[in-house]
Amino acid sequence: MNKALQIRSTIHCDLLIIGAGGAGFRCAAEVLEKKPKTRVIALTKGSHPQKSHTSTAQGGLAAVDPRDPADDNIFHMFDTWKGSDCSADQNVVRKICGAAWEQILWLENRGMHFSRDPDGRLSKRTFGGHTLNFGESSAYRAVFEADRTGKGIMDTCWGETLKRGISFINQCLATELLFKENQCLGCIVFRQHEGEFIRILSKATVLSTGGSGQVFKITTNCRQNTGDGLALILQSGLPVMDPEAVQFHPTGIVGPGILASETLRSVGGILRNRKLEPFMEQYAPKMKDLAPRDLVARAMASEIREGRGIVNPDHNVEHVWIDLRHLPDAVHEKQIPEVTGFFKKYLNLNPKEKLCPVHPSNHYHMGGIPTNEFGEVQTSSQEIIPGLFAAGECAAASFHGFNRLGTNSILELITMGKFAGEKALTFLEKFPDQFPEVEGNLSFLRFSNYMEASGKDNIGQIRDALRTLMTENMSIFRNEGGMLKTIESLKELKHRADKTALSSKSLRMNQELVQHWELDNLLTVSMAITQAALNRKESRGAHFREDFPERSDNFNYHSLISMEQFGKVELERREVDMRLFEEKGQHADKFGLIERKY
Amino acid sequence: MNKQQSYNLTLKIRRFDPDSKRSWIQDYHVEAGRILRFVDLFRKINDEQDPNLAWSSSCEHGQCGSCSVKVNGKPLLACELLVENAVQYFKTITFQIEPLNVAPVVRDLVVDISTAYERIDQIKPYIIHPAPPPTENNEYPITPHELERYVNATRCINCFCCSSACISSHKTFLGPNAMLATIIRVMDPREQEKDQRLKILYSENGIYRCHSSRACSFVCPKEIDVAHFIAVAKEGRITEQE
Amino acid sequence: MPAVGFYARTRGWSFVIAWMHRISGIILIFYVLIHIYTLSFLITPEVFDAKMKMFGFFLFIFLEWLLAAPVIFHALNGGRLILYEIFGTRNEGTLLQWMFSLSVVYVLLQALMMIMGNQTVSPILFWLVVFIFSACVLILVASRIWRIEGDLVWKLQRITGAFLLIMIPAHLMFMHLQPAIGHQANVVIARMQNIFIKFVDLILVISVLLHAGYGLISISKDYFKYRFVQNGLSLLIVLIMVVFGWIGIKIIIISYS
Ligand SMILES: Cc1cc2nc3c(=O)[nH]c(=O)nc-3n(C[C@H](O)[C@H](O)[C@H](O)COP(=O)(O)OP(=O)(O)OC[C@H]3O[C@@H](n4cnc5c(N)ncnc54)[C@H](O)[C@@H]3O)c2cc1C
Ligand code: HEM
Ligand code: HEM
Ligand code: SF4
Ligand code: F3S
Ligand code: FES
């Protein structure tokens, strides 16, 4: 084994946060606030926690204001359940919706700069899928900080934890979870600047590494989102849940993949194909361009697949147009200035005069590390792993089931983050003073393979091939043939990756080395997504099978998939929690297996 | 008239190797479509020419401030700069690309931003002593008018472009962005601990290192008029409650 | 010049102007220190006159004229900075236009005076008017700045700056009304017998040195990180200013009464 690969030092702490995004931060803040002297270490892959993906969330977060006479928690719960296509866990839904407003106040009281109404109270706006009286009319439920709500959460939580003495290790990779007798005791960390490994032994560990959007070629996700958390869990022999549940947003801006808000269509934007036909008329004669997200995304993908897309020469991707030229200037300037700004900034075109290229863009991973409603990570047999918690996009409790409502994700971060923190606190109380010794070996194994490989290839090109493959076969439409082919291709790509030599063997800030490691994670996550999707012979929420276009009650469960070795998968299931229905309380009928129609 | 679709660019990138401590300028020739961003160019170099070139990015749409570099001397976000615009702005197809000079370089274009952040940490980027809301279990009421005074300053993403451009060298000044972070909390009615903040603000390493050169406002990718906020502090209007 | 274009493109015009302000400030410091040194020869008028002879050379006349540029630029831009920072006048564009136009007018006027070289004016009246105006500007700025929290010396620099805004350009203009006014020992000495003129000179020398001293200290604090280096340099600068202040005051008070 490579001599440079060794543990340089061991650090001890009480709480280890792997991934200081919104969820990780909220958890750390909870622990530090309740028990001030706790030693908390937070890891980030980016150059600073503030650069985490949560900082890009724009829209807002849903929470029912108890002072609002029209709105009620039960409506929010219903919208979430319906949005999830009947596959969210109802215990979790009830818990998160119930805690929402309190968490908003927590943020506000600590300095988040929410937008205000003229009375100085928090302003609210409406979002797709959020309704009053079980679907009757739109609910004004999302509080927000202009178009930078996620950044507000990050800045506030960063400040709170900094104030209370958190330690950060930036630009590092958590490469391996450490276990002793099924208990999690920390992780091995690769510090990119120094090019060295350290071992962090912790009493409690929280995985909050965020999404996995980089699996797809066109994504709204940031460059750090390579699904590391999921890969770490799979590498440890633990399962991930519902990996096939991946959300796509219809209007991603071609090239960067940036989110172009739904508002574009609600103010009258029209989608057109290569022949400039307003194609939505054929797919949804009544709602046309205003049909729900998944339907529109599917229509766009069909047009492209049937050869009516346009190839963008700069980014070499196929897309359709959104036509905003006919909208009055006032609409451009008052109602959609930011999105118009994105087209100007990134495509140098003026939406008042030109057609704008859009393409469905990968947006969110509903699936993730299975946890209970307290954020405790579970095994395939649904036993709790002592000392290991997960929260945020990398986790699945599951609040979103197979389809997430806008504004529910950052709500999940701050609520599940807090719950995980509370649970970690009680766990820390019981922890003995002595740390058991644990060694890790998987990291060195993987890294020395990278160092020793000698084939001529390029990590970036393999990654591109992977991302193209996934976008072509695993996004909006899935079918058995495509998936079987994908699995074969993934194996080939893995083989190629394994053989690829590094052009420099330096360990310090060796981006290629890091990308090789990330590529392995991307491959692992892709394989899990594909295998789980292959197994789910139905369509549910964001998971759409052309060969099985209907939802089927036979699949009313969460898939649990383990894969210790690449490609060798084991599938289990976890029942969907339906206690709101089963408890037969008021409105219980709304929480059965209802039809998802808008 | 048809726009030029692609360009043959020369990128002269300042490189640094931490193992040998060697620094040099390397030329890369890249054929690039007109609306590629500079981060795309770096990725292209990684994929096609030199997997070793190190650079930073995260969100890649101007929201996180990870990708700041100097292009022909101007500090900017590499993920917001399109080839076509760069050619137009700098009137050349040759670009010098250097890391920001606000912290030690780790490798090539990557700097140790954590070190730069220590300056922000010093000013305590949080509410030191929050005022309880007038009615319990409620928000602290802030009118849009009150918020308007400082809300623009809250848009800062700590990309450090302003710091890099400022006439005050990077030796002592906490930096324009650190000033913004302080000013926000002086203006925020929820902060009760104003004295500590004013002490930092009106200190040798605070606003007195600013000479109103306004480079901060000029380069800020978020188009925040940073100099305005610092001037408001100099003017003393910052402590006025409206 | 290419550097100016470079910085204008990468940091903006205000940045270029900030550098010009800094450079002009430093030029003025050098000038003032040498100036005070030469003025100290007024004790022996023959030596002073002999030294002043060289200002008869064309090159030196030209240089004296050129001095008007940094003086008026620094003064007007200093005034603009005070407006920007303390009076909330943030519409830079118009101010800059005014500043540059006035500068050009002033420099040309200076040339005109030097060419004609035959203006006469009562020194007392001239300085009375200038002093009153300057005092007004001083009071205006001081009353505004006094309420602000913050560093006393920093405030004093702005206040002295405000005071000098008219004083210095006027001083320069005055000295060019006729070559003799500024260059002939007997004329100068005769004028300086007046107690009011002495008073004006005294205030002038003190405020210039205070302003310049703080300016230098402020620049050094931008560049030297360590406290002891900063403190050492500040001490040195204060010392230089005190020494020159002393020389300057000696010229006014002790020599001729
Ligand atoms: C453009 C966009 C807009 C959105 N808008 C909204 C919205 O309006 N409302 C809403 O509810 N949701 C929104 N979302 C979704 C939401 O932003 C994300 O789901 C959420 O931010 C994820 O937060 P997180 O805390 O789980 O992870 P992140 O914020 O992604 O943080 C993950 C952290 O883990 C670190 N990390 C990752 N891997 C490792 C490793 N191996 N070692 C160490 N550290 C690691 C990363 O560096 C990072 O610090 C949006 C998403 C996008 C892309
Ligand atoms: C004529 C009227 C003057 C005005 C209105 C004026 C105004 C100012 C102002 C407002 C500043 C602060 C700028 C900053 O913060 O950087 C300043 C700085 C300075 N001034 Fe003046 N000033 C005047 C005359 C002078 C004179 C006569 C000298 C020298 C003898 C001088 C030397 C300096 C120096 C060295 C600085 C520091 C420059 C810097 O920090 O970059 N000034 N002046
Ligand atoms: C070339 C042009 C100048 C000439 C000929 C000139 C001449 C003189 C003379 C003759 C005096 C003696 C006092 C008096 O007559 O009232 C004087 C004093 C003074 N001048 Fe100038 N001056 C010139 C430019 C300047 C400039 C540009 C400055 C400032 C930047 C300046 C600063 C002073 C000061 C501070 C004093 C007072 C010194 C003292 O009395 O100790 N002068 N000058
Ligand atoms: S003020 Fe602007 S330039 Fe400076 S760090 Fe913030 S966003 Fe960047
Ligand atoms: S660039 Fe620097 S000098 Fe002041 S106005 Fe901005 S902080
Ligand atoms: S990568 Fe986030 S701002 Fe450029």
Side-chain angles (χ1 to χ4, degrees), chain B residues 39 56-68 77-80 157:
Chain B
V39 285
S56 269
S57 81
S58 177
C59 70
E60 301 200 351
H61 62 290
Q63 310 281 351
C64 74
S66 300
C67 60
S68 332
L77 298 179
C79 73
E80 276 192 351
I157 53 174

Side-chain angles (χ1 to χ4, degrees), chain C residues 42 123-124 127-128 131 163 167 188-206 248-257:
Chain C
L42 277 173
I124 312 266
W127 283 109
L128 195 66
F131 185 78
F163 177 66
M167 284 297 273
V188 175
I189 291 171
R191 183 171 60 237
M192 286 183 75
Q193 294 309 314
N194 183 288
I195 185 85
F196 175 65
I197 297 284
K198 273 181 199 288
F199 167 72
V200 169
D201 279 346
L202 186 72
I203 305 244
L204 186 67
V205 72
I206 292 174
I249 293 171
K250 231 167 54 181
I251 300 167
I252 301 164
I253 302 176
I254 304 168
S255 307
Y256 347 77
S257 33

